[in-house]
Amino acid sequence: VSTGVPFSGVRWPSLQPTASAAFVQVLLHGGLPRAEIARKLGLSRASLTRITKDLVLADLLTEGPTEQRSATGRPSEILFVNKAAHHFLGIKLTGDTLYSVVTDLQANIVGLKNVPLVNHSVADVIGQIADVTREHAARFPRLTSIGVALAGYVEHDGSRSILHDSAYLGWDSVPLGEMVEKATGYACAVENDVQALTAVERWSRIDQGVEPMALITIGVGLGFGFVVNQELVRGAHGRSGKLSHVPVDQSGPLCDRGHHGCASSYLPNGAIANAAGTPGGYQDALLLARSGEPVALAAFMSAGYALGVLIGHVSNMLDPAKIVLTGDGLPLYELAESRVNDGIAATLESDAGPVNLDVQPFDFSEWARAAAALAIFATVS
Ligand SMILES: [Zn+2]
């Protein structure tokens, strides 16, 4: 990282590729017996001993208790991530707020700060990112790198990350990673927010055999992410996961692209507020619907049905083991679960696999945590 700002954190140690791969395995699974690491990477016991010694010396792994392995009958020591050795800053940008968290090496949140954006100018938002970084770095001297997640698609061109079509900020062709590095002195990874969230949700379920896994986010926008063979599907151009304009009911309201009754004419928070006729926006619509006001409630019911149609299509196309549902629009599910199920039933093919929906409680710091996890994996691998 070339920068005019002095780096004040802790640098990631320089590791051999095999040592990095061994560390990633322990990190992914939260702790692994030595024998298991050797098996996963096809290493001899001798080379594994050398590698783990280096990782312990680099302060990245600690040795835990010994576990009796039934397969070999030989005891195998468990290695754990030394999670406090490094901290990472995750930032999620929406159209009006900078959400930030600091996490340890296992993406546990240890610090948090949210600030309203002063405006949408790239330079001013970068300035706010630099201010927040300085504040966190003063409290967390082991800060190592930064991840930024936001709407839009990110072109990875060598070590550069160029952000395109970021709708809520109105940004296009912005070399965001490089700009954050220059302003803060820390290495910075940038990713589409839904893809970053899908990656962290996959990480937290990696030992559950949930494969393939889909993720749908509802809220200000609609998002879709998909993991197959433990890998996030980014598409050939980083533009996968577009579900916003799937048709639901052709006699429905108009969306901003002129479709009648597509998913985005019912489902995003703004569409719900429009249908509820609440000038104060989504939060007003939610209060009214919860109090049983019929127009607002009907808006949530229609949105619930549209969500069910999307879930049905995702199940038909991909047969996922699990569909994780999350996002700031989650109150919709609580109000209209029966209509979600109606939409699924109307869409699901008779010979499709069962729908296994995992409703994941949400707050905005979860997006920022996903950005921190992005920074962790960009740094370690
Ligand atoms: Zn549409």
Side-chain angles (χ1 to χ4, degrees):
V1 180
S2 98
T3 168
V5 184
F7 176 84
S8 59
V10 172
R11 294 208 187 271
W12 190 252
S14 156
L15 300 170
Q16 298 295 325
T18 329
S20 285
F23 180 75
V24 168
Q25 284 305 317
V26 179
L27 182 64
L28 282 172
H29 298 277
L32 277 181
R34 280 177 186 279
E36 185 79 7
I37 304 169
R39 193 188 58 76
K40 279 178 187 292
L41 297 175
L43 296 171
S44 69
R45 282 203 154 225
S47 34
L48 185 75
T49 302
R50 197 177 61 247
I51 285 165
T52 52
K53 191 175 150 218
D54 287 350
L55 289 168
V56 170
L57 282 175
D59 211 20
L60 296 179
L61 291 185
T62 55
E63 292 165 335
T66 297
E67 181 184 83
Q68 195 67 40
R69 303 294 287 173
S70 59
T72 59
R74 293 167 71 182
S76 185
E77 196 177 41
I78 301 178
L79 293 163
F80 292 97
V81 172
N82 182 13
K83 62 185 182 185
H86 293 265
H87 286 132
F88 298 85
L89 170 58
I91 292 173
K92 152 76 171 175
L93 296 173
T94 66
D96 54 21
T97 307
L98 183 165
Y99 295 90
S100 77
V101 300
V102 173
T103 74
D104 63 21
L105 243 173
Q106 286 185 312
N108 302 299
I109 295 175
V110 294
L112 186 145
K113 184 179 177 70
N114 303 326
V115 291
L117 296 183
V118 287
N119 58 49
H120 287 177
S121 127
V122 176
D124 289 345
V125 174
I126 298 280
Q128 288 192 281
I129 290 175
D131 291 344
V132 164
T133 304
R134 263 191 300 276
E135 275 188 49
H136 284 303
R139 220 185 124 202
F140 299 100
R142 309 197 68 78
L143 200 62
T144 299
S145 72
I146 301 174
V148 177
L150 70 176
Y153 95 94
V154 179
E155 179 192 353
H156 298 284
D157 175 14
S159 63
R160 300 177 83 209
S161 310
I162 319 280
L163 172 72
H164 298 280
D165 298 339
S166 195
Y168 308 115
L169 290 164
W171 293 357
D172 193 36
S173 302
V174 176
L176 189 59
E178 209 173 23
M179 294 177 83
V180 171
E181 289 177 1
K182 284 210 174 99
T184 65
Y186 290 83
C188 176
V190 181
E191 188 57 280
N192 168 272
D193 51 2
V194 176
Q195 295 193 349
L197 191 64
T198 306
V200 77
E201 294 295 335
R202 163 240 176 198
W203 184 13
S204 66
R205 291 172 180 78
I206 201 157
D207 289 322
Q208 298 172 17
V210 180
E211 182 68 31
M213 186 196 94
L215 174 136
I216 296 175
T217 65
I218 52 177
V220 173
L222 293 178
F224 173 68
F226 190 55
V227 173
V228 61
N229 295 334
Q230 312 265 339
E231 291 288 337
L232 184 67
V233 177
R234 298 187 76 255
H237 313 95
R239 292 174 179 258
S240 63
K242 309 231 173 278
L243 282 184
S244 298
H245 297 275
V246 169
V248 175
D249 176 355
Q250 296 199 341
S251 64
L254 273 177
C255 79
D256 58 2
R257 287 198 49 205
H259 308 134
H260 278 281
C262 71
S264 76
S265 74
Y266 291 108
L267 198 41
N269 293 352
I272 292 174
N274 280 344
T278 47
Y282 174 78
Q283 289 304 328
D284 281 3
L286 182 57
L287 283 175
L288 285 174
R290 281 181 170 150
S291 73
E293 195 276 322
V295 177
L297 200 52
F300 277 89
M301 293 298 162
S302 299
Y305 186 84
L307 174 60
V309 169
L310 287 190
I311 293 169
H313 282 309
V314 167
S315 299
N316 288 339
M317 283 188 282
L318 304 169
D319 187 22
K322 188 165 274 188
I323 299 176
V324 177
L325 175 67
T326 191
D328 52 300
L330 217 49
L332 159 66
Y333 188 79
E334 156 213 326
L335 280 163
E337 184 180 343
S338 66
R339 292 298 286 154
V340 176
N341 291 333
D342 290 344
I344 294 172
T347 310
L348 198 65
E349 297 287 341
S350 59
D351 55 353
V355 175
N356 183 3
L357 202 58
D358 177 353
V359 181
Q360 180 72 23
F362 178 83
D363 69 89
F364 270 100
S365 59
E366 193 60 17
W367 288 108
R369 193 175 80 88
L374 166 73
I376 293 170
F377 281 97
T379 299
V380 306
S381 46

PDB file of all heavy atoms in Angstrom, residues 244-247 253-265, ligand 1:
ATOM      1  N   SER A 244     -34.770  -8.620  -9.114  1.00  0.00           N
ATOM      2  CA  SER A 244     -35.693  -7.530  -8.781  1.00  0.00           C
ATOM      3  C   SER A 244     -36.920  -7.464  -9.681  1.00  0.00           C
ATOM      4  O   SER A 244     -37.973  -7.019  -9.252  1.00  0.00           O
ATOM      5  CB  SER A 244     -34.974  -6.188  -8.854  1.00  0.00           C
ATOM      6  OG  SER A 244     -33.939  -6.155  -7.909  1.00  0.00           O
ATOM      7  N   HIS A 245     -36.790  -7.885 -10.940  1.00  0.00           N
ATOM      8  CA  HIS A 245     -37.904  -7.657 -11.873  1.00  0.00           C
ATOM      9  C   HIS A 245     -38.576  -8.941 -12.333  1.00  0.00           C
ATOM     10  O   HIS A 245     -39.184  -8.986 -13.407  1.00  0.00           O
ATOM     11  CB  HIS A 245     -37.436  -6.784 -13.047  1.00  0.00           C
ATOM     12  CG  HIS A 245     -37.011  -5.416 -12.588  1.00  0.00           C
ATOM     13  ND1 HIS A 245     -37.901  -4.378 -12.402  1.00  0.00           N
ATOM     14  CD2 HIS A 245     -35.800  -4.948 -12.207  1.00  0.00           C
ATOM     15  CE1 HIS A 245     -37.257  -3.311 -11.941  1.00  0.00           C
ATOM     16  NE2 HIS A 245     -35.968  -3.646 -11.823  1.00  0.00           N
ATOM     17  N   VAL A 246     -38.499  -9.977 -11.506  1.00  0.00           N
ATOM     18  CA  VAL A 246     -39.234 -11.212 -11.798  1.00  0.00           C
ATOM     19  C   VAL A 246     -40.736 -10.906 -11.753  1.00  0.00           C
ATOM     20  O   VAL A 246     -41.214 -10.292 -10.801  1.00  0.00           O
ATOM     21  CB  VAL A 246     -38.882 -12.297 -10.750  1.00  0.00           C
ATOM     22  CG1 VAL A 246     -39.810 -13.494 -10.851  1.00  0.00           C
ATOM     23  CG2 VAL A 246     -37.429 -12.729 -10.901  1.00  0.00           C
ATOM     24  N   PRO A 247     -41.493 -11.301 -12.796  1.00  0.00           N
ATOM     25  CA  PRO A 247     -42.935 -11.014 -12.785  1.00  0.00           C
ATOM     26  C   PRO A 247     -43.671 -11.754 -11.658  1.00  0.00           C
ATOM     27  O   PRO A 247     -43.354 -12.901 -11.367  1.00  0.00           O
ATOM     28  CB  PRO A 247     -43.414 -11.537 -14.147  1.00  0.00           C
ATOM     29  CG  PRO A 247     -42.192 -11.689 -14.972  1.00  0.00           C
ATOM     30  CD  PRO A 247     -41.072 -11.971 -14.028  1.00  0.00           C
ATOM     31  N   PRO A 253     -48.986  -3.109  -9.698  1.00  0.00           N
ATOM     32  CA  PRO A 253     -48.515  -1.722  -9.861  1.00  0.00           C
ATOM     33  C   PRO A 253     -47.265  -1.629 -10.740  1.00  0.00           C
ATOM     34  O   PRO A 253     -46.611  -2.634 -11.021  1.00  0.00           O
ATOM     35  CB  PRO A 253     -48.206  -1.286  -8.427  1.00  0.00           C
ATOM     36  CG  PRO A 253     -48.010  -2.545  -7.652  1.00  0.00           C
ATOM     37  CD  PRO A 253     -48.834  -3.607  -8.315  1.00  0.00           C
ATOM     38  N   LEU A 254     -46.955  -0.417 -11.173  1.00  0.00           N
ATOM     39  CA  LEU A 254     -45.804  -0.179 -12.046  1.00  0.00           C
ATOM     40  C   LEU A 254     -44.511  -0.066 -11.232  1.00  0.00           C
ATOM     41  O   LEU A 254     -44.499   0.538 -10.167  1.00  0.00           O
ATOM     42  CB  LEU A 254     -45.988   1.147 -12.793  1.00  0.00           C
ATOM     43  CG  LEU A 254     -46.762   1.130 -14.105  1.00  0.00           C
ATOM     44  CD1 LEU A 254     -46.880   2.569 -14.627  1.00  0.00           C
ATOM     45  CD2 LEU A 254     -46.070   0.251 -15.143  1.00  0.00           C
ATOM     46  N   CYS A 255     -43.432  -0.631 -11.784  1.00  0.00           N
ATOM     47  CA  CYS A 255     -42.120  -0.416 -11.158  1.00  0.00           C
ATOM     48  C   CYS A 255     -41.421   0.720 -11.889  1.00  0.00           C
ATOM     49  O   CYS A 255     -41.935   1.253 -12.869  1.00  0.00           O
ATOM     50  CB  CYS A 255     -41.284  -1.691 -11.225  1.00  0.00           C
ATOM     51  SG  CYS A 255     -40.508  -1.967 -12.826  1.00  0.00           S
ATOM     52  N   ASP A 256     -40.225   1.078 -11.455  1.00  0.00           N
ATOM     53  CA  ASP A 256     -39.510   2.213 -12.075  1.00  0.00           C
ATOM     54  C   ASP A 256     -39.013   1.886 -13.481  1.00  0.00           C
ATOM     55  O   ASP A 256     -38.564   2.774 -14.198  1.00  0.00           O
ATOM     56  CB  ASP A 256     -38.370   2.693 -11.165  1.00  0.00           C
ATOM     57  CG  ASP A 256     -37.366   1.585 -10.852  1.00  0.00           C
ATOM     58  OD1 ASP A 256     -37.540   0.465 -11.384  1.00  0.00           O
ATOM     59  OD2 ASP A 256     -36.419   1.838 -10.079  1.00  0.00           O
ATOM     60  N   ARG A 257     -39.075   0.625 -13.892  1.00  0.00           N
ATOM     61  CA  ARG A 257     -38.708   0.284 -15.270  1.00  0.00           C
ATOM     62  C   ARG A 257     -39.933   0.109 -16.155  1.00  0.00           C
ATOM     63  O   ARG A 257     -39.822  -0.292 -17.311  1.00  0.00           O
ATOM     64  CB  ARG A 257     -37.862  -0.997 -15.286  1.00  0.00           C
ATOM     65  CG  ARG A 257     -36.440  -0.779 -14.770  1.00  0.00           C
ATOM     66  CD  ARG A 257     -35.541  -1.902 -15.204  1.00  0.00           C
ATOM     67  NE  ARG A 257     -35.664  -2.193 -16.633  1.00  0.00           N
ATOM     68  CZ  ARG A 257     -35.385  -3.364 -17.193  1.00  0.00           C
ATOM     69  NH1 ARG A 257     -34.986  -4.362 -16.445  1.00  0.00           N
ATOM     70  NH2 ARG A 257     -35.522  -3.540 -18.492  1.00  0.00           N
ATOM     71  N   GLY A 258     -41.109   0.351 -15.607  1.00  0.00           N
ATOM     72  CA  GLY A 258     -42.323   0.299 -16.410  1.00  0.00           C
ATOM     73  C   GLY A 258     -42.972  -1.074 -16.494  1.00  0.00           C
ATOM     74  O   GLY A 258     -43.867  -1.293 -17.317  1.00  0.00           O
ATOM     75  N   HIS A 259     -42.538  -2.017 -15.654  1.00  0.00           N
ATOM     76  CA  HIS A 259     -43.217  -3.322 -15.615  1.00  0.00           C
ATOM     77  C   HIS A 259     -44.454  -3.221 -14.738  1.00  0.00           C
ATOM     78  O   HIS A 259     -44.454  -2.505 -13.750  1.00  0.00           O
ATOM     79  CB  HIS A 259     -42.321  -4.401 -14.989  1.00  0.00           C
ATOM     80  CG  HIS A 259     -40.963  -4.503 -15.585  1.00  0.00           C
ATOM     81  ND1 HIS A 259     -39.819  -4.593 -14.818  1.00  0.00           N
ATOM     82  CD2 HIS A 259     -40.564  -4.538 -16.883  1.00  0.00           C
ATOM     83  CE1 HIS A 259     -38.768  -4.680 -15.615  1.00  0.00           C
ATOM     84  NE2 HIS A 259     -39.193  -4.637 -16.875  1.00  0.00           N
ATOM     85  N   HIS A 260     -45.458  -4.012 -15.068  1.00  0.00           N
ATOM     86  CA  HIS A 260     -46.603  -4.154 -14.172  1.00  0.00           C
ATOM     87  C   HIS A 260     -46.401  -5.366 -13.272  1.00  0.00           C
ATOM     88  O   HIS A 260     -46.247  -6.481 -13.761  1.00  0.00           O
ATOM     89  CB  HIS A 260     -47.904  -4.333 -14.966  1.00  0.00           C
ATOM     90  CG  HIS A 260     -48.453  -3.029 -15.438  1.00  0.00           C
ATOM     91  ND1 HIS A 260     -49.159  -2.178 -14.621  1.00  0.00           N
ATOM     92  CD2 HIS A 260     -48.388  -2.425 -16.654  1.00  0.00           C
ATOM     93  CE1 HIS A 260     -49.514  -1.100 -15.304  1.00  0.00           C
ATOM     94  NE2 HIS A 260     -49.047  -1.217 -16.541  1.00  0.00           N
ATOM     95  N   GLY A 261     -46.414  -5.134 -11.970  1.00  0.00           N
ATOM     96  CA  GLY A 261     -46.452  -6.234 -11.015  1.00  0.00           C
ATOM     97  C   GLY A 261     -45.227  -7.121 -10.985  1.00  0.00           C
ATOM     98  O   GLY A 261     -45.341  -8.325 -10.765  1.00  0.00           O
ATOM     99  N   CYS A 262     -44.022  -6.549 -11.183  1.00  0.00           N
ATOM    100  CA  CYS A 262     -42.811  -7.348 -10.962  1.00  0.00           C
ATOM    101  C   CYS A 262     -42.467  -7.307  -9.472  1.00  0.00           C
ATOM    102  O   CYS A 262     -43.084  -6.569  -8.690  1.00  0.00           O
ATOM    103  CB  CYS A 262     -41.654  -6.812 -11.796  1.00  0.00           C
ATOM    104  SG  CYS A 262     -41.027  -5.246 -11.205  1.00  0.00           S
ATOM    105  N   ALA A 263     -41.475  -8.096  -9.059  1.00  0.00           N
ATOM    106  CA  ALA A 263     -41.125  -8.178  -7.632  1.00  0.00           C
ATOM    107  C   ALA A 263     -40.814  -6.804  -7.044  1.00  0.00           C
ATOM    108  O   ALA A 263     -41.234  -6.485  -5.932  1.00  0.00           O
ATOM    109  CB  ALA A 263     -39.936  -9.122  -7.438  1.00  0.00           C
ATOM    110  N   SER A 264     -40.108  -5.959  -7.828  1.00  0.00           N
ATOM    111  CA  SER A 264     -39.713  -4.675  -7.245  1.00  0.00           C
ATOM    112  C   SER A 264     -40.872  -3.688  -7.194  1.00  0.00           C
ATOM    113  O   SER A 264     -40.755  -2.628  -6.580  1.00  0.00           O
ATOM    114  CB  SER A 264     -38.510  -4.077  -7.973  1.00  0.00           C
ATOM    115  OG  SER A 264     -38.898  -3.550  -9.187  1.00  0.00           O
ATOM    116  N   SER A 265     -42.010  -3.999  -7.827  1.00  0.00           N
ATOM    117  CA  SER A 265     -43.175  -3.116  -7.678  1.00  0.00           C
ATOM    118  C   SER A 265     -43.926  -3.411  -6.378  1.00  0.00           C
ATOM    119  O   SER A 265     -44.816  -2.662  -5.993  1.00  0.00           O
ATOM    120  CB  SER A 265     -44.100  -3.234  -8.891  1.00  0.00           C
ATOM    121  OG  SER A 265     -44.810  -4.459  -8.860  1.00  0.00           O
TER     122      SER A 265
HETATM  123 ZN    ZN B   1     -39.841  -4.201 -12.772  1.00  0.00          ZN
END
